[in-house]
């Protein structure tokens, strides 16, 4: 099951309903969310002036950007990509073969981004 982040609209609704004194259970049912999702949202994003949806959204976006990504583009993988790019392979072909040859799963967009960074 994939995790879906709260939208700004959901955060706005959460803020309004919480200020109105609505229980988290009722808010969760209305938003079709699990209670623990909203509880976690409130815990992470409530400041000194209470829960504010825009501030909560900014904090969530900041955490998302700062989240450590697994490093798959090692020197060895970059060399592999470069070798296959010189053979005019597409990023889709490269990631397909990379999985077979080195047991590494990359998205073809990662290869495109790597190509763009190298051209700068």
């Amino acid at each position: 099951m994939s995790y879906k982040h709260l939208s700004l609209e959901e955060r706005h609704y959460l803020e309004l309903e919480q200020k109105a004194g609505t229980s988290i259970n009722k808010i969760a049912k209305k938003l079709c969310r699990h209670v623990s999702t909203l509880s976690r949202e409130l815990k992470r994003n409530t400041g000194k002036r209470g829960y504010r949806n825009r501030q909560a959204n900014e904090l969530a976006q900041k955490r998302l950007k700062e989240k450590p990504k697994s490093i798959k583009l090692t020197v060895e993988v970059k060399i592999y990509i470069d070798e296959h790019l010189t053979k005019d392979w597409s990023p889709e072909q490269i990631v397909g073969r990379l999985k077979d040859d080195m047991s590494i799963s990359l998205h073809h967009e990662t290869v495109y981004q790597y190509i763009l960074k190298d051209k700068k």
Side-chain angles (χ1 to χ4, degrees), residues 15 19 45-47 49-57:
E15 178 183 0
K19 285 181 180 176
N45 297 315
T46 299
R49 294 171 44 192
Y51 181 82
R52 299 183 322 176
N53 71 80
R54 291 186 192 278
Q55 178 181 335
N57 202 57

Side-chain angles (χ1 to χ4, degrees), residues 51-68:
Y51 181 82
R52 299 183 322 176
N53 71 80
R54 291 186 192 278
Q55 178 181 335
N57 202 57
E58 289 171 10
L59 289 169
Q61 294 302 317
K62 182 181 177 190
R63 274 195 306 276
L64 185 63
K65 285 181 184 176
E66 293 173 354
K67 182 179 172 183

Side-chain angles (χ1 to χ4, degrees), residues 4-94:
K4 183 179 162 227
H5 296 278
L6 291 175
S7 68
L8 184 57
E9 291 81 16
E10 289 173 314
R11 287 187 170 104
H12 181 71
Y13 182 81
L14 175 59
E15 178 183 0
L16 292 176
E17 290 298 315
Q18 188 195 29
K19 285 181 180 176
T22 307
S23 74
I24 294 178
N25 286 328
K26 287 183 181 178
I27 299 170
K29 284 180 184 177
K30 178 70 175 171
L31 292 175
C32 299
R33 295 296 192 141
H34 198 276
V35 175
S36 65
T37 300
L38 298 187
S39 178
R40 190 171 40 251
E41 172 73 12
L42 291 169
K43 183 179 176 186
R44 288 179 177 169
N45 297 315
T46 299
K48 292 180 181 177
R49 294 171 44 192
Y51 181 82
R52 299 183 322 176
N53 71 80
R54 291 186 192 278
Q55 178 181 335
N57 202 57
E58 289 171 10
L59 289 169
Q61 294 302 317
K62 182 181 177 190
R63 274 195 306 276
L64 185 63
K65 285 181 184 176
E66 293 173 354
K67 182 179 172 183
K69 309 282 190 248
S70 63
I71 300 172
K72 293 183 180 180
L73 283 178
T74 62
V75 174
E76 185 180 20
V77 173
K78 289 177 184 179
I79 291 170
Y80 184 94
I81 292 170
D82 288 335
E83 287 174 355
H84 288 82
L85 285 172
T86 59
K87 296 176 184 176
D88 290 326
W89 284 33
S90 72
E92 290 84 358
Q93 291 171 314
I94 294 170

